[in-house]
Amino acid sequence: MVADQWYDSNGVWTGSATILPDGSIVMLYTGSTDKAVQVQNLAYPEDPSDPLLLKWVKFPGNPVLVPPPGILPKDFRDPTTAWKTSEGKWRITIGSKLNRTGISLVYDTTDFKTYEKLDTLLHRVPNTGMWECVDFYPVSKIADNGLDTSVKGPDVKHIVKASMDDTRFDHYAVGTYFDSNGTWIPDDPTIDVGMSTSLRYDYGKFYASKTFYDQNKGRRVLWSWIGESDSEASDVQKGWSSVQGIPRTVVLDTKTGKNLVQWPVEEIKSLRLSSKQFDIEVGPGSVIPVDVGSAAQLDIEAEFEIKKESLDKILGNASVMAEAEEFSCEKSGGSTVRGALGPFGFSVLATESLSEQTPVYFYVAKGKDSELKTIFCIDTSRSSVANDVVKPIYGSVVPVLKGEKLTMRILVDHSIVEAFGQGGRTCITSRVYPTSAIYGAAKLFLFNNALDATVTASFRVWQMNSAFIHPYTEEAFRALTPISFRTQKYVNTPLVPRLSPIGSRSYPLPLRAATSIDEIPPNAVRRKIDRNWRGGFSLGVDLGLSRTGVAISKGYTVKPLTVLKSRGQKLETRLLEIAEEEEVDEFIIGLPRSSDGKETIQSNKIRSVAGRLAVQAAERGWRVYVFDEHGTTSEASDRMIVMGLSKSERQNGSDAYAAVILLERYFSTQGLGVEIILPKSLELQAKIKNGAPVDPDFNPENLEESTYHFQKYPLRRLQLSSRSNSDIKDSSNTRGLNCFSKREGCCSRAESNTWKRILSAAMAAAVIASSSGVPAMAELNRFEADTRGEFGIGSAAQYGSADLSKTVHSNENFRRANFTSADMRESDFSGSTFNGAYLEKAVAYKANFSGADLSDTLMDRMVLNEANLTNAVLVRSVLTRSDLGGAKIEGADFSDAVIDLLQKQALCKYANGTNPLTGVDTRKSLGCGNSRRNAYGSPSSPLLSAPPQRLLGRDGFCDEKTGLCDAK
């Protein structure tokens, strides 16, 4: 459904469906009206026989419920599934609040169109705030199966759950329901819904959950929303945010009778691949690597047992402090803080050096009565070296009954860790964002950080496959949008939606999604359509576990380019840099398949990389495709042998030649079977359709079009003045230039580029000769600023002396642009590219350059007081005589930048953080504490003399004999 009516124009929000006795289905959902009033609406399936129930029809009489008296317009949402009362009516409950008291309103209906509000509330708890996504359902006290929502009886308890809008946690309580008046009371008022002491579904990143009854398997299934823990800027960059958790079954713990037990649905086991069993004794202070290969997607089931002699020693030792009452995961300091009996468990998504790791562990604490209490935790504080990530420590007490071993199950899925303690009595979900512990570099460790206890661990680890979604019809696929990434093959096959991150709110889409690859054809198809077509360069990419081969196709020529050894974000950044350097407009990424044509675990890893790359490439108008690479490695090896290459040459270049084979196959088959990776953002899809900006230096065939800035303002009659932009007029035709650009026989690439350089120089000379001083020059620069530079894309634009203060230019391309003496005060240039730009004497007081690429820029005598340079890249930039007083530099990379000594010393006093793109420590890049690097300033600085020539060299560029260095 989309928000297309006055009663839901501000959003189609959470709803619940009810299956009626005749098998028909009705759904109630919250809509936010055009006046932002929350109302309840009714909808029916358009086609009840559709197994996916993709299309719904809204009831003409909507809304069916509005906020009752005393309830504010924005405090009335999220209706539950209906249940039958003893009188034969249907009953629902809706979340709300009265002042600071969270409440659950109750309504009866017979037809779902008209309702009677009960005078009583299902439940209320003071000081808990707004209740969202309220859920109400029965659980059995004697069996481990789920129950239909309408079941009542002596062997039944009822659960009330509410998502707390104030804290963003899902709280629940076990209690007794009274059908006669529609009320419910908790079994233990001290742990009532929403209290700080109450039970939670999950003690991590987990919210807005809902259950439903699966009548086919007799189980109650829980769905949840897992939000992000990184920055909004990161979400924008990757093009999506939030995912759904693994579905869980929910039953009452019949052993305790006081809490729920949650467990991943049995279907998850169908994703298990190979497994290994381990039985290891872990001594105090031990960290043991677990050899399971890649640890990015795992299912771990483990039992732990503390040796009896260790327990007896601790319990009988009065000097061991009782800490159970005070201990909490959040305040404990994490897995590095050692106690007598813990922590011990696993470090998942870890690097070999443990610089990144996410420990999942038990901590056993001694109570004042010498009884033991067990706490289950996840420590994300070292999960990533990225600075824009929230890294809390999650967890809570987990009930352990006498005679039970400690058990845990962990599902690891790249950026999500879901952990289940003691069979699911305590559950924790966390979002983590490792930068190095990814794919094949992700490792698994077993650790015991206890001071005195020896622990025996018995566990099995499964490698996990991805959930390959079965194809839907084209119509069904369109109805499922938006999703995180859509894939589409250039063959007549249905579109396949992949696992999609879906939030709790949906809104109308202003743009139409690309539904046919014919709208965005690959270069191989364009060549098929037009045999004379020569445009478009393709980059072939052969992704391996540790090396990536790159090849390029220009016209009909395919050649190996390079082999990259970086991984993760660094690899993706380098691929984008190569694409820009080589002026390509598409990536062809090899997709591994087995001999029978099926996708493998590695295929899913490749798709993940391709998906992230697609978002960044789309910003530039570039396309990303995947193409079957089966057998390319062996074919590349055979070719290199035939070519007579040495063994070392074959070893070093095999990946690049595999990429060559990939591109040759792609063009020889005319793109048959190629699959495009589209970001979900329709704006990004539009950029892909429009294509990459035309660079005149690489498109001599389109010289007439690419020199439009000459034609609009020809050399003879370009009039400059110090008046407004509208006074810059074109009063002449361009026949002379057009004659040149169309003249037969004159347009070889070398000749046209030569003539264009001459024309550019002539135009610059004419501008200087005809201008009447700086004001006119500034006016021209201002004009170019308004029209986005010479080529309309910001690149190589002239902004000298222009007034850019308090403007927003985030994520733009200012490569090689001129900002000399520009006024950039309090402007937002976050995420923009200034590579090779001139910013001499520019005033950028309080300007925002966070995440910007300022590498190789000339920033001499620039004012950067209180500027935000957080996570900016300033590699090789020149900052001599610039003022960075009060600048924010956390995570900035100043590697090889030229900075005056006094300025450098001032920055070192508070420099901290690591650049998320380059991985370089800010203090290290500044040379803080390094006497050798701080021994001199810059050659252009009047404060200090230049260092010896030997010290100016870059690695590998110095002559060992003479000691002189070539800048190259």
Side-chain angles (χ1 to χ4, degrees):
M1 290 193 297
V2 296
D4 57 2
Q5 303 295 324
W6 71 266
Y7 51 78
D8 60 12
S9 59
N10 274 314
V12 173
W13 292 356
T14 300
S16 300
T18 301
I19 301 176
L20 304 182
D22 62 359
S24 61
I25 300 174
V26 295
M27 179 167 65
L28 291 171
Y29 71 92
T30 298
S32 180
T33 73
D34 52 1
K35 304 297 184 183
V37 178
Q38 294 171 9
V39 298
Q40 312 313 314
N41 304 306
L42 175 63
Y44 308 93
E46 180 181 281
D47 179 8
S49 64
D50 176 8
L52 297 175
L53 299 177
L54 293 174
K55 294 186 177 181
W56 294 76
V57 177
K58 298 174 183 178
F59 175 52
N62 282 336
V64 294
L65 279 172
V66 298
I71 300 299
L72 295 178
K74 296 184 179 180
D75 296 338
F76 184 64
R77 56 184 177 270
D78 308 338
T80 63
T81 296
W83 68 93
K84 265 295 184 69
T85 69
S86 55
E87 296 179 352
K89 297 179 180 179
W90 290 102
R91 181 168 288 171
I92 64 168
T93 185
I94 299 173
S96 186
K97 70 175 181 177
L98 288 170
N99 297 320
R100 289 282 305 141
T101 297
I103 64 173
S104 192
L105 302 163
V106 183
Y107 291 86
D108 284 353
T109 182
T110 57
D111 59 4
F112 290 89
K113 300 174 184 177
T114 59
Y115 293 82
E116 175 190 357
K117 179 181 174 297
L118 273 63
D119 294 333
T120 56
L121 299 171
L122 179 69
H123 195 51
R124 58 185 292 164
V125 180
N127 299 315
T128 55
M130 177 67 196
W131 285 12
E132 292 191 298
C133 299
V134 172
D135 208 356
F136 177 76
Y137 56 90
V139 290
S140 173
K141 296 193 296 183
I142 58 175
D144 59 358
N145 58 281
L147 298 176
D148 180 82
T149 311
S150 296
V151 171
K152 298 178 287 292
D155 294 327
V156 171
K157 285 288 183 182
H158 277 80
I159 304 298
V160 168
K161 167 263 170 184
S163 301
M164 299 299 154
D165 193 28
D166 287 358
T167 63
R168 313 301 281 182
F169 296 138
D170 281 14
H171 292 259
Y172 76 90
V174 182
T176 302
Y177 168 64
F178 298 93
D179 180 74
S180 59
N181 62 359
T183 61
W184 173 95
I185 60 172
D187 288 351
D188 185 352
T190 65
I191 53 172
D192 205 349
V193 181
M195 290 182 171
S196 60
T197 56
S198 69
L199 299 171
R200 284 160 50 181
Y201 273 166
D202 193 290
Y203 291 85
K205 196 74 174 177
F206 185 103
Y207 191 66
S209 59
K210 295 284 281 186
T211 67
F212 71 92
Y213 177 64
D214 177 1
Q215 69 272 23
N216 292 332
K217 293 192 175 183
R219 60 184 179 177
R220 182 159 292 272
V221 178
L222 171 69
W223 289 93
S224 65
W225 172 45
I226 305 174
E228 302 295 322
S229 296
D230 60 351
S231 66
E232 184 177 342
S234 298
D235 296 342
V236 171
Q237 183 179 18
K238 65 176 181 269
W240 60 273
S241 70
S242 303
V243 295
Q244 286 188 328
I246 294 295
R248 307 173 182 178
T249 57
V250 182
V251 296
L252 183 67
D253 188 345
T254 55
K255 294 181 179 179
T256 67
K258 298 178 180 180
N259 56 271
L260 295 175
V261 169
Q262 304 166 58
W263 201 247
V265 293
E266 62 183 0
E267 288 82 356
I268 296 301
K269 291 183 178 179
S270 67
L271 301 178
R272 288 174 170 175
L273 300 171
S274 59
S275 68
K276 286 185 178 182
Q277 175 67 35
F278 299 87
D279 296 283
I280 303 174
E281 184 173 282
V282 193
S286 300
V287 179
I288 300 173
V290 182
D291 183 15
V292 294
S294 172
Q297 287 181 288
L298 300 177
D299 188 353
I300 306 168
E301 290 191 4
E303 287 185 348
F304 293 90
E305 190 171 14
I306 301 175
K307 279 202 168 182
K308 187 176 184 301
E309 49 266 36
S310 298
L311 286 174
D312 293 342
K313 178 181 177 182
I314 299 303
L315 293 176
N317 189 345
S319 63
V320 176
M321 294 180 59
E323 56 177 341
E325 285 73 17
E326 293 79 21
F327 186 89
S328 71
C329 298
E330 294 84 351
K331 300 176 183 178
S332 65
S335 61
T336 59
V337 178
R338 305 181 67 181
L341 297 175
F344 54 86
F346 295 96
S347 284
V348 301
L349 295 174
T351 57
E352 196 79 56
S353 64
L354 293 174
S355 59
E356 289 184 332
Q357 57 174 306
T358 301
V360 183
Y361 57 93
F362 289 114
Y363 190 99
V364 181
K366 180 181 177 181
K368 293 179 180 179
D369 54 1
S370 292
E371 292 294 322
L372 296 178
K373 183 164 71 172
T374 304
I375 300 95
F376 187 46
C377 310
I378 291 185
D379 178 3
T380 69
S381 61
R382 292 170 291 157
S383 60
S384 173
V385 298
N387 292 323
D388 61 343
V389 177
V390 179
K391 308 169 194 175
I393 302 170
Y394 300 115
S396 182
V397 173
V398 56
V400 181
L401 305 183
K402 187 175 181 180
E404 288 184 340
K405 293 182 179 180
L406 300 181
T407 65
M408 70 168 70
R409 182 177 180 183
I410 310 172
L411 294 175
V412 180
D413 189 9
H414 296 289
S415 71
I416 304 176
V417 179
E418 296 188 56
F420 305 83
Q422 291 306 107
R425 288 177 183 150
T426 297
C427 306
I428 313 170
T429 300
S430 60
R431 290 302 308 272
V432 294
Y433 305 87
T435 60
S436 299
I438 58 177
Y439 304 117
K443 306 298 179 184
L444 176 67
F445 290 86
L446 176 68
F447 73 91
N448 175 15
N449 215 18
L451 291 169
D452 301 303
T454 297
V455 177
T456 300
S458 178
F459 58 98
R460 181 172 289 276
V461 182
W462 286 268
Q463 290 284 343
M464 295 294 283
N465 205 344
S466 294
F468 298 107
I469 308 301
H470 297 293
Y472 295 105
T473 63
E474 178 120 359
E475 183 180 9
F477 175 79
R478 291 176 185 170
L480 282 173
T481 57
I483 60 175
S484 62
F485 289 103
R486 286 183 294 227
T487 61
Q488 188 175 21
K489 292 186 177 181
Y490 190 68
V491 288
N492 293 323
T493 57
L495 305 182
V496 184
R498 305 187 65 184
L499 190 61
S500 61
I502 304 172
S504 62
R505 305 286 188 255
S506 60
Y507 299 92
L509 298 175
L511 301 174
R512 183 183 65 83
T515 57
S516 171
I517 199 170
D518 292 324
E519 298 180 51
I520 313 176
N523 289 340
V525 174
R526 299 183 190 202
R527 181 182 294 176
K528 174 185 176 182
I529 297 171
D530 181 5
R531 301 298 298 177
N532 295 320
W533 182 80
R534 294 293 182 273
F537 298 160
S538 306
L539 200 70
V541 182
D542 179 72
L543 288 167
L545 292 176
S546 58
R547 293 161 30 119
T548 297
V550 183
I552 189 166
S553 167
K554 296 187 175 182
Y556 283 101
T557 303
V558 180
K559 66 178 182 179
L561 206 57
T562 187
V563 175
L564 305 175
K565 296 183 179 180
S566 53
R567 287 179 292 195
Q569 189 176 17
K570 292 182 180 180
L571 171 62
E572 294 159 20
T573 300
R574 184 62 189 125
L575 287 173
L576 292 168
E577 290 174 349
I578 292 173
E580 188 167 2
E581 293 165 3
E582 299 294 336
E583 300 292 332
V584 306
D585 59 4
E586 70 176 16
F587 295 81
I588 306 299
I589 300 176
L591 184 68
R593 297 181 184 271
S594 59
S595 56
D596 58 0
K598 295 182 179 179
E599 294 193 10
T600 64
I601 297 178
Q602 185 66 12
S603 305
N604 190 60
K605 297 175 181 177
I606 300 302
R607 287 188 179 278
S608 297
V609 176
R612 291 195 302 272
L613 193 65
V615 173
Q616 300 177 71
E619 290 285 0
R620 301 160 171 83
W622 302 336
R623 309 175 301 279
V624 174
Y625 302 89
V626 292
F627 188 68
D628 186 3
E629 69 169 18
H630 179 69
T632 54
T633 301
S634 58
E635 189 173 336
S637 178
D638 293 341
R639 177 176 298 189
M640 295 171 77
I641 292 173
V642 172
M643 292 172 62
L645 299 180
S646 66
K647 183 178 180 180
S648 62
E649 288 174 325
R650 296 198 302 270
Q651 289 175 340
N652 294 331
S654 60
D655 300 273
Y657 276 91
V660 169
I661 302 296
L662 178 72
L663 282 178
E664 289 177 347
R665 280 190 194 174
Y666 160 70
F667 280 107
S668 66
T669 60
Q670 299 175 332
L672 184 64
V674 72
E675 187 177 335
I676 189 169
I677 306 297
L678 286 177
K680 90 168 181 184
S681 167
L682 300 184
E683 288 80 3
L684 291 181
Q685 289 187 30
K687 289 184 178 182
I688 295 175
K689 291 180 188 177
N690 294 334
V694 175
D695 188 332
D697 290 336
F698 286 87
N699 290 273
E701 304 93 334
N702 301 323
L703 183 61
E704 179 181 355
E705 299 177 6
S706 64
T707 55
Y708 71 89
H709 52 290
F710 290 152
Q711 299 170 12
K712 190 171 183 181
Y713 304 105
L715 303 185
R716 291 180 298 158
R717 304 292 293 277
L718 181 63
Q719 299 179 2
L720 295 173
S721 72
S722 57
R723 293 172 289 171
S724 65
N725 294 339
S726 60
D727 291 327
I728 302 179
K729 298 179 180 178
D730 171 22
S731 57
S732 154
N733 66 56
T734 58
R735 190 166 299 171
L737 287 176
N738 285 340
C739 178
F740 156 72
S741 63
K742 293 179 180 178
R743 181 166 53 87
E744 294 183 4
C746 72
C747 284
S748 70
R749 177 168 296 191
E751 289 175 332
S752 62
N753 284 340
T754 301
W755 276 104
K756 280 186 286 182
R757 284 193 291 270
I758 295 172
L759 285 170
S760 297
M763 181 178 180
V767 168
I768 294 171
S770 62
S771 65
S772 57
V774 174
M777 203 60 147
E779 196 63 46
L780 175 61
N781 291 337
R782 180 63 200 179
F783 171 78
E784 290 206 357
D786 290 340
T787 57
R788 301 298 299 113
E790 284 185 281
F791 309 121
I793 60 172
S795 180
Q798 297 292 327
Y799 301 102
S801 302
D803 181 7
L804 301 173
S805 61
K806 296 184 178 180
T807 56
V808 178
H809 296 283
S810 58
N811 298 306
E812 294 193 19
N813 177 18
F814 295 115
R815 194 177 183 197
R816 301 185 298 276
N818 177 22
F819 289 88
T820 301
S821 300
D823 184 355
M824 308 167 76
R825 288 175 294 179
E826 300 182 65
S827 294
D828 183 4
F829 295 95
S830 57
S832 293
T833 299
F834 289 87
N835 179 261
Y838 292 86
L839 292 96
E840 297 172 280
K841 303 180 184 177
V843 178
Y845 169 72
K846 284 190 174 181
N848 182 10
F849 294 99
S850 60
D853 178 5
L854 292 157
S855 59
D856 299 295
T857 54
L858 183 59
M859 305 167 73
D860 187 68
R861 289 168 288 180
M862 188 175 177
V863 177
L864 288 161
N865 298 82
E866 300 183 39
N868 185 357
L869 296 170
T870 304
N871 296 332
V873 178
L874 298 100
V875 176
R876 297 180 299 278
S877 60
V878 177
L879 287 151
T880 49
R881 296 187 241 182
S882 293
D883 188 353
L884 282 81
K888 298 177 182 178
I889 61 169
E890 181 178 357
D893 183 357
F894 292 91
S895 298
D896 297 314
V898 183
I899 310 173
D900 295 322
L901 176 60
L902 295 178
Q903 183 68 81
K904 184 186 298 184
Q905 290 173 337
L907 295 176
C908 284
K909 290 180 180 179
Y910 63 93
N912 70 314
T914 302
N915 189 277
L917 185 64
T918 64
V920 175
D921 180 88
T922 299
R923 293 185 60 80
K924 186 176 180 181
S925 70
L926 283 167
C928 301
N930 186 327
S931 59
R932 176 183 171 92
R933 290 194 61 178
N934 279 333
Y936 54 88
S938 67
S940 62
S941 171
L943 304 177
L944 295 164
S945 59
Q949 289 176 309
R950 182 74 179 175
L951 297 181
L952 284 174
R954 299 289 302 280
D955 293 341
F957 294 161
C958 293
D959 189 314
E960 295 294 335
K961 295 180 180 178
T962 64
L964 299 177
C965 300
D966 182 1
K968 291 194 177 182

